[in-house]
Amino acid sequence: MTELASAVPAYVLLAALAVIVVLLTVVAIVARAVVAKARPEDLQHILPGLGQVLASLALFLPWGRGTRGTTAAPPVPVRSERRGGRRRG
């Protein structure tokens, strides 16, 4: 690993670091804006999707090339019987 770092010019490493920092900053700004504008009852649906976006962006990082795990399905809304749901049976 040290052989690779010594073979790459310093400006290339600094440019790569700058790109990673900019990418992380943009992701943090967008995630904060999405969470701030979401209604509290919608967060249970928004956060899994935001997690999938962050996981896909992590694949751009050199150490993010591992296998992706399974994603959790969003929760199914439960319909109240008082709000128009009909009993079956």
Side-chain angles (χ1 to χ4, degrees):
M1 183 69 182
T2 58
E3 298 165 0
L4 177 65
S6 63
V8 177
Y11 67 89
V12 173
L13 293 176
L14 286 175
L17 181 64
V19 168
I20 290 172
V21 168
V22 168
L23 180 65
L24 291 176
T25 304
V26 169
V27 167
I29 290 170
V30 170
R32 186 172 178 179
V34 166
V35 171
K37 290 186 180 205
R39 296 181 307 194
E41 60 269 13
D42 291 338
L43 282 179
Q44 64 180 346
H45 301 288
I46 291 173
L47 293 179
L50 193 58
Q52 290 177 358
V53 170
L54 293 175
S56 64
L57 285 174
L59 293 175
F60 284 108
L61 298 173
W63 55 85
R65 300 279 183 209
T67 59
R68 295 181 65 183
T70 58
T71 57
V76 177
V78 178
R79 189 169 178 159
S80 172
E81 291 197 23
R82 290 183 290 151
R83 300 173 86 197
R86 294 185 54 187
R87 284 190 168 199
R88 296 181 188 178

